[in-house]
Amino acid sequence: MPRPTDIRIAVIVAVIQIGGTLGAYHHGAHGQRGCWWASSCRVPKPLDALAFVLLALGPLALVVRRAYPRAVLLAVFALTLVYVALGYLQGPGYASLVVAFVATAVSGHRVAAAATLLAGWVLFLWVPAALGITGAPTVLALFAIAAWLLLLFTGAEALRARKLRVVEARRARERAARRRADEERLQIARELHDVLAHNISLINVQSGVALHLIDQQPEQARIALSAINDASADALREVRSVLGVLRGTGEEPPRTPPAGMARLDELVSRAASAGIDVSLVRHGRPRPLPTSVDLAAFRIVQESLTNVVRHASARAARVQISYLDGELKLQIDDDGRGEGAPTTRGGGHGIAGMRERAVALGGELAAGPGPDGGFRVRARLPVDGAR
Ligand SMILES: Nc1ncnc2c1ncn2[C@@H]1O[C@H](COP(=O)(O)OP(=O)(O)OP(=O)(O)O)[C@@H](O)[C@H]1O
Ligand SMILES: [Mg+2]
């Protein structure tokens, strides 16, 4: 289906070719009629129906030039050559040929376009001469027309280069947008993983405790149920806030402070309520962190403690936070079984997600068996203040 622009261009070229030729013909009927490019020329044949058909067919063919650039160029070339060879007045009849040529060159068929230019330079000057319509072309005209054709070729090349640049820029923009979308998706998946894994593991542990104790020690079961209540409310809140980011709403101001180091004690008390004795040690002078580092550090501690609760069978864990010059170091140790360590293959996303968070900030993370048994997670997050 031709585009409206292509139809408009075809109409404009038709008006130029037919109207311009008619104008030139009537003007020539009263004045000097010449052919500057040849030594002499015959009086042109009067414009008849065939002349108008030939003048109109070229522009008509242009309508499909995007789909068939080379075929259209060939057809317009042939139509124009027949028109010239029949001895009609040479007015602006080359307009459709120029448009077809530029379309072919811009669409990347440069050899076909250049060959047509060369053939045109020879045939359009020598065929009328051979048929006696004009005399031989002058040397000056040969050069002048060659120069104009060269200019046309250069112009078409410039257009082609511009089109390529525009297409490449659009592709680059699309690639960047896709990359951003992928990153965002991953980020949201990580957030949901950490929030859900953490709270649901706690709920799992506590509900086990509650079930076990409900008959003999209802008071203890009540504590476990209250921890379940807290963890589930927290999961709901955090999931809602992640979904809010996903929807791009954020119309509701957050009711709890965003996840960050300020909420570390919460993590510690949660793990404690799951029966792990967690100690939290801070080295260096605690200071405000860039939001991205703050969140990543919190999530790393969160997932490490979640893993302790889920996998370690540990009694105690130790979280160390070191505020150093230009970086934040985290270390989470436990005294559990510490085995099955780096078997992240087979589905676990927690350690991979922690590592991605650290690497995204220019840092690193290692997780594996601790030196004295148990399991150890160590992370280094650069804090350049610029993020
Ligand atoms: N503190 C730990 N003690 C013992 N093993 C651990 C500890 N932390 C992690 N692991 C082992 O490393 C594996 C990978 O942990 P990871 O957090 O990546 O996945 P997961 O916890 O199994 O699943 P997910 O976090 O995706 O819900 C765990 O399955 C477990 O075998
Ligand atoms: Mg995990």
Side-chain angles (χ1 to χ4, degrees), residues 320-324 327-331 378-381:
Q320 298 185 70
I321 319 273
S322 311
Y323 291 85
L324 304 174
E327 63 183 21
L328 181 76
K329 277 192 169 160
L330 306 171
Q331 185 172 317
R378 290 177 92 166
R380 189 183 62 79
L381 306 176

Side-chain angles (χ1 to χ4, degrees), residues 315-379:
R315 268 175 294 118
R318 182 178 164 92
V319 177
Q320 298 185 70
I321 319 273
S322 311
Y323 291 85
L324 304 174
D325 267 354
E327 63 183 21
L328 181 76
K329 277 192 169 160
L330 306 171
Q331 185 172 317
I332 301 96
D333 293 290
D334 67 56
D335 63 354
R337 61 192 178 92
E339 59 201 19
T343 55
T344 35
R345 270 172 276 123
H349 293 115
I351 292 176
M354 291 197 287
R355 184 168 295 122
E356 277 166 24
R357 286 182 191 275
V359 169
L361 294 168
E364 60 202 358
L365 183 136
D372 314 314
F375 200 84
R376 170 176 282 182
V377 175
R378 290 177 92 166

Side-chain angles (χ1 to χ4, degrees), residues 143-163:
F143 279 105
I145 290 173
W148 141 243
L149 293 179
L150 212 61
L151 199 70
L152 191 63
F153 188 75
T154 317
E157 278 294 288
L159 269 182
R160 198 178 74 87
R162 209 184 75 131
K163 185 180 148 186

Side-chain angles (χ1 to χ4, degrees), residues 303 307 310-311 350:
E303 171 61 14
N307 278 348
R310 283 174 66 191
H311 307 298

